[in-house]
Amino acid sequence: MVAIGEAARLSGVSIETIRYYEHEGLVAKAGRTASGRRTFSKASIYELRFIKRCRDLGFSIHDAVALRSLANEPANACETVGQLDRNHLTDVRAKIAELRRLESALIELVANCAKEQHDCPMLDALMGQNS
Amino acid sequence: MVAIGEAARLSGVSIETIRYYEHEGLVAKAGRTASGRRTFSKASIYELRFIKRCRDLGFSIHDAVALRSLANEPANACETVGQLDRNHLTDVRAKIAELRRLESALIELVANCAKEQHDCPMLDALMGQNS
DNA sequence: CTTGCTCCTGTAGCCACTACAGAATGTGCA
DNA sequence: TGCACATTCTGTAGTGGCTACAGGAGCAAG
């Protein structure tokens, strides 16, 4: 049993975020000492780490909770997990595509921008009537 | 002079967002009819379009305002615009790189997930001790 | 016994909107 | 003219996922 600061160090989740997770019901409520300080078991630290890994993979909190409860289920978990993963992968790829679109637009716009230029081609494009 | 609904249609910015922009001082305050409804000139619609284009390119509101005021400045605008663009481009590329990292992690994790499997490799990885 | 660290609760802020509620005004048609 | 319906108004609250305080209390080491 460790205090919240140690739990934060061990799990990689910040103190504030741990409290936020508890408040939102995302993880089980921590125990308390006589003076009201939270205490964390090994299990609860693993729980925090699990959530953190999901978040680091870009899963929403909602999905992270879903994954966490799948970890306790015996049957068919793997299939559901795979589905969540593939859905998320689709989202990630859509974001990549969108960002690449932005990237090439930005490259094109900045291409003719330079010092000592009277008219800025990028500003012209942003102000223009077309499209 | 058109009403806010028409301005929204013409600029591509939603009614609520137009009001939000005005409230935040992002665009000039619209004129008003006798009964208090907003009126929009061609110029203010172009202004909205300008902001929208910046936002569509992924610029923050802060940057969009900066770009807008550069459009009214005579000298050296193009260089500053180019700098803003390149900074943003750097951010976009960082995000792409991060998402690609996620993408490959997700692919690897889901690789061995399938129906009828007892242990889920993805859950195992998320729960594991290492790193 | 004091110094300084950790921890507590509760609230506000971030970004850029979006979604109401409830009221007033405007428009088209019989 | 009367009525229905569309549009607009203000103001507030919610979204996601934290982060950053303020102000107070407990705890451990010297």
Side-chain angles (χ1 to χ4, degrees), chain B residues 43-106:
Chain B
S44 45
I45 287 162
Y46 286 140
E47 198 180 4
L48 288 167
R49 284 241 300 258
F50 185 95
I51 301 287
K52 176 162 174 50
R53 283 172 183 166
C54 294
R55 299 285 305 122
D56 285 349
L57 285 167
F59 285 102
S60 68
I61 279 189
H62 182 91
D63 282 357
V65 171
L67 288 167
R68 203 185 66 81
S69 51
L70 282 168
N72 299 331
E73 264 180 44
N76 293 339
C78 196
E79 198 186 348
T80 314
V81 167
Q83 199 53 57
L84 278 171
D85 187 306
R86 278 184 292 270
N87 286 348
H88 180 41
L89 192 50
T90 303
D91 291 351
V92 167
R93 283 176 170 154
K95 276 185 194 150
I96 290 172
E98 170 68 6
L99 286 171
R100 275 216 266 255
R101 201 182 58 72
L102 290 193
E103 186 189 18
S104 47
L106 289 169

Side-chain angles (χ1 to χ4, degrees), chain A residues 33-106:
Chain A
T33 66
S35 67
R37 299 192 166 195
R38 289 178 183 80
T39 58
F40 294 83
S41 65
K42 273 191 182 176
S44 43
I45 288 162
Y46 286 140
E47 197 180 6
L48 288 168
R49 285 241 300 258
F50 185 95
I51 301 287
K52 176 164 173 51
R53 283 173 183 164
C54 295
R55 300 285 304 122
D56 285 350
L57 285 167
F59 285 103
S60 68
I61 279 187
H62 182 91
D63 282 357
V65 171
L67 287 167
R68 204 186 67 80
S69 50
L70 281 168
N72 299 331
E73 262 178 46
N76 293 342
C78 197
E79 200 187 348
T80 315
V81 166
Q83 199 53 57
L84 278 171
D85 187 305
R86 278 183 292 270
N87 287 348
H88 180 41
L89 192 49
T90 303
D91 290 352
V92 167
R93 283 175 172 155
K95 277 186 193 151
I96 290 173
E98 170 67 6
L99 286 170
R100 274 215 268 256
R101 201 183 58 72
L102 291 192
E103 186 188 18
S104 46
L106 290 168

Side-chain angles (χ1 to χ4, degrees), chain B residues 6-68:
Chain B
E6 184 74 355
R9 262 197 338 99
L10 292 172
S11 66
V13 180
S14 82
I15 290 177
E16 309 278 356
T17 302
I18 291 175
R19 288 200 277 247
Y20 168 74
Y21 283 174
E22 180 181 313
H23 183 74
E24 298 298 301
L26 194 47
V27 295
K29 284 203 174 186
R32 297 290 179 130
T33 66
S35 68
R37 297 190 169 196
R38 289 177 183 79
T39 60
F40 294 82
S41 65
K42 273 191 182 177
S44 45
I45 287 162
Y46 286 140
E47 198 180 4
L48 288 167
R49 284 241 300 258
F50 185 95
I51 301 287
K52 176 162 174 50
R53 283 172 183 166
C54 294
R55 299 285 305 122
D56 285 349
L57 285 167
F59 285 102
S60 68
I61 279 189
H62 182 91
D63 282 357
V65 171
L67 288 167
R68 203 185 66 81

